[in-house]
Amino acid sequence: MTRIENTFKRLQAEGKRAFVAYVMAGDPDYDTSLELVRGMPAAGVDVIELGLPFTDPMADGPAIQLAASRALDAGMTLRRTLDLARAFRQGDDTTPIVLMGYYNPIYSMGVETFLREAKSAGIDGLIVVDLPPEEDDELCLPARDAGLDFIRLATPTTDDRRLPKVLENSSGFLYYVSITGITGAAAASAADVAPEVARIKRSTDLPVCVGFGIRTAQSAREIAGVADGAVVGSAIVAELAAGKSVAEVLDFVRGLAEGAHTA
């Protein structure tokens, strides 16, 4: 059983929803990023999404685009991102890490090399937003064979005809994008999300976590209340970009986690 599966089973037994937090690897620099990631489990984060910096993050809004630029300017690469995960694992062998990003850096490294290095670094799952299910032979199936979960995105436009294809080789959890558009573009609405999550859960036993548009503890509580978990990224990245210290960002994360956990 993977760390991701163990985490969701534990939370289910405790009657809690999951809190998933995204941070861009290397933003604003390697050391600060590692300090932030290391502090996340104690702040209540159940699953860490580690963003892979890329020059053309097409699904992301300004906050994460700028975070990627800062990380790249600071010398962050795919290999250094895996080094960061490896450093985190020296002190935490429990909290799942999901690497989230785009296929180009992985393709450039080579799929076989990447999967070997990712597994060695302690990565548990992948979210690769620009690889559709029709390309599962490219990375999804090799990742599954290597013991990594491949987490797929579903959106408000994923209708009942498309959903089975999205779910076909997904594992770990399903990430439901609460809005149409880029990250950080609009606020998520629990009233809109609830029927969509219920529809998806009729077709899968995977946990369904909801992200995009969650910025406050109250919003995290409301969204987690209609799903298996809430995902927050842009709001956390924005705190860091505003010049907040790691301790201040972790206080903000703690509030979001408490919101999700009390749903």
Side-chain angles (χ1 to χ4, degrees), residues 75-94:
M76 205 62 180
T77 63
L78 173 52
R79 288 194 181 277
R80 294 205 76 202
T81 299
L82 296 177
D83 287 343
L84 191 151
R86 193 173 283 109
F88 172 83
R89 281 281 171 246
Q90 292 175 0
D92 187 314
D93 194 41
T94 304

Side-chain angles (χ1 to χ4, degrees), residues 81 150 189 217 240:
T81 299
F150 202 87
S189 165
L240 198 60

Side-chain angles (χ1 to χ4, degrees), residues 21-121:
Y22 172 100
V23 62
M24 179 65 70
D27 176 34
D29 55 66
Y30 180 94
D31 290 338
T32 303
S33 181
L34 178 57
E35 183 183 357
L36 179 59
V37 171
R38 281 176 167 164
M40 281 186 160
V45 176
D46 300 301
V47 179
I48 296 169
E49 279 185 17
L50 191 59
L52 174 59
F54 182 52
T55 54
D56 190 20
M58 66 187 76
D60 294 303
I64 292 178
Q65 288 180 23
L66 290 170
S69 294
R70 290 191 296 269
L72 291 168
D73 288 345
M76 205 62 180
T77 63
L78 173 52
R79 288 194 181 277
R80 294 205 76 202
T81 299
L82 296 177
D83 287 343
L84 191 151
R86 193 173 283 109
F88 172 83
R89 281 281 171 246
Q90 292 175 0
D92 187 314
D93 194 41
T94 304
T95 307
I97 301 176
V98 174
L99 188 65
M100 183 173 185
Y102 300 84
Y103 185 47
N104 185 279
I106 296 170
Y107 177 81
S108 296
M109 177 181 281
V111 168
E112 185 176 342
T113 300
F114 165 73
L115 291 175
R116 182 176 64 250
E117 293 296 322
K119 188 69 176 176
S120 171

Side-chain angles (χ1 to χ4, degrees), residues 147-166:
L148 298 175
D149 283 315
F150 202 87
I151 296 150
R152 193 80 71 190
L153 302 177
T155 74
T157 61
T158 305
D159 60 21
D160 289 336
R161 290 180 298 174
R162 181 64 173 167
L163 184 60
K165 189 66 176 177
V166 170

Side-chain angles (χ1 to χ4, degrees), residues 166-241:
V166 170
L167 293 172
E168 187 175 9
N169 292 312
S170 298
S171 61
F173 63 92
L174 187 79
Y175 188 140
Y176 180 71
V177 176
S178 66
I179 59 172
T180 54
I182 55 177
T183 57
S189 165
D192 293 336
V193 166
E196 291 301 303
V197 171
R199 177 175 67 90
I200 292 167
K201 290 183 73 66
R202 288 194 292 269
S203 298
T204 182
D205 293 329
L206 288 174
V208 179
C209 293
V210 177
F212 285 47
I214 303 172
R215 301 191 184 96
T216 66
Q218 179 62 28
S219 179
R221 181 179 298 110
E222 291 171 358
I223 294 297
V226 298
D228 296 300
V231 185
V232 180
S234 294
I236 297 170
V237 169
E239 290 288 303
L240 198 60

